[in-house]
Amino acid sequence: MTEPSSPTQDDRLTVRIPTAMAMLGISRSRLYKLMSNGDIATIKAGRARLIVLRSLNEFVEGQADS
């Protein structure tokens, strides 16, 4: 029986707020504004607020110049 390996960055579905801030290169207050506007999706897991990586990617793609 194989042991489950820890997820790599590519396997993760969510990240914590400090990681999302670093990935986007924005401040905590700006990230919270994007979250409250619905631009970036979050989920609540216990006491932790997690950012959905798919929503980060969609946000960046929507902001990119064509």
Side-chain angles (χ1 to χ4, degrees):
M1 180 173 226
T2 58
E3 293 285 324
S5 60
S6 61
T8 63
Q9 181 112 3
D10 295 336
D11 295 337
R12 292 171 32 173
L13 299 175
T14 62
V15 294
R16 291 186 177 264
I17 288 174
T19 303
M21 290 167 41
M23 291 173 73
L24 294 175
I26 61 175
S27 67
R28 180 178 291 270
S29 61
R30 178 68 178 139
L31 180 59
Y32 273 93
K33 183 176 262 187
L34 292 170
M35 290 163 46
S36 68
N37 290 344
D39 294 326
I40 293 179
T42 66
I43 61 170
K44 190 86 168 163
R47 292 176 47 194
R49 175 67 58 188
L50 301 173
I51 309 294
V52 179
L53 276 176
R54 182 183 41 186
S55 72
L56 286 183
N57 292 329
E58 290 171 357
F59 173 75
V60 170
E61 288 172 8
Q63 299 300 311
D65 293 333
S66 300

